[in-house]
Amino acid sequence: MLDVPDVFIGSTDDGHTFVILNRRIRDADRLLTEAGFRTRELLSRMLYLLPPGTAQDVHQRAGVAMYRLLAHTHDLVDLSWTTRWSPNQPAGGPDLHFQFGDGTVAVTASTTTARSLLEQHSFVPAADGASYRPRDGLDERGLLGAVTAVEAHAYAHGLNARVRLGIPTPADLPASARRRSAAAAGPGTAPSARRRTR
């Protein structure tokens, strides 16, 4: 899932914000380092990391980086919980809580409005009765699209959403599936570009 968009922004459970570039973007190194991100290579993947900080500071730094990257691509997905800050944000837990794991996502909703919104996006109640899951048959691209659609819809309704990717620390980020498959295919074979339109 991290390999689907041109730019993926996420958070680890320990509060690091990370950016993964899945295609070369002009001036990205400079844009991200000027915003305070540090570069780090991990398992053949170039990461840009922002250490834990105050919610407002992380929100502002990541916002500057995203705004600048949008000048080069609109294929950007932000599922980071660390960048979500607003001076008007109500106290308390999120209305929607997404938890990724085992190739799917479980969602809990704390309000009737949040549950209704999930059902509008074809999420179905799980067997435990306490959470929702996406409809069957979604690949990584479909799952990512379903989560981003619900999160955007929730934001438009003033609902608070939090996404946990199931990545405890930056050291636990998986290697790029694209690079693994390209290496397995042998020299001279480049993976085809995967684009998602909105």
Side-chain angles (χ1 to χ4, degrees):
M1 181 184 65
L2 303 179
D3 299 328
V4 173
D6 287 349
V7 180
F8 187 95
I9 303 168
S11 303
T12 57
D13 294 345
D14 68 357
H16 284 83
T17 306
F18 65 86
V19 175
I20 294 173
L21 302 179
N22 290 311
R23 75 168 176 90
R24 188 173 291 281
I25 296 175
R26 187 171 53 90
D27 297 329
D29 286 327
R30 181 181 57 78
L31 298 175
L32 288 161
T33 55
E34 283 178 358
F37 285 82
R38 300 175 187 154
T39 59
R40 179 173 168 191
E41 189 165 345
L42 179 69
L43 300 171
S44 301
R45 187 193 289 278
M46 184 58 72
L47 298 177
Y48 296 87
L49 288 173
L50 192 60
T54 66
Q56 183 176 0
D57 183 54
V58 172
H59 170 79
Q60 289 172 339
R61 289 178 180 275
V64 166
M66 283 185 271
Y67 179 77
R68 291 177 174 176
L69 288 170
L70 283 170
H72 301 280
T73 181
H74 287 208
D75 191 13
L76 182 149
V77 171
D78 178 13
L79 292 182
S80 60
W81 61 267
T82 52
T83 61
R84 303 302 193 259
W85 175 84
S86 168
N88 303 322
Q89 189 169 1
D95 299 292
L96 291 161
H97 184 266
F98 297 84
Q99 179 65 56
F100 280 85
D102 299 325
T104 189
V105 63
V107 191
T108 55
S110 63
T111 65
T112 302
T113 304
R115 285 188 286 279
S116 173
L117 192 141
L118 285 170
E119 290 166 6
Q120 288 176 46
H121 287 271
S122 301
F123 278 72
V124 295
D128 63 10
S131 64
Y132 285 76
R133 62 174 177 75
R135 61 182 170 80
D136 293 332
L138 294 179
D139 61 5
E140 288 179 338
R141 184 179 303 273
L143 186 61
L144 184 61
V147 171
T148 56
V150 171
E151 192 188 26
H153 197 170
Y155 179 78
H157 284 279
L159 299 176
N160 185 344
R162 176 170 245 181
V163 178
R164 296 281 186 167
L165 297 172
I167 303 170
T169 71
D172 299 303
L173 279 157
S176 170
R178 243 184 233 179
R179 289 196 175 119
R180 281 196 312 263
S181 62
T189 305
S192 59
R194 295 162 64 187
R195 306 277 303 157
R196 197 179 96 246
T197 58
R198 285 186 168 205

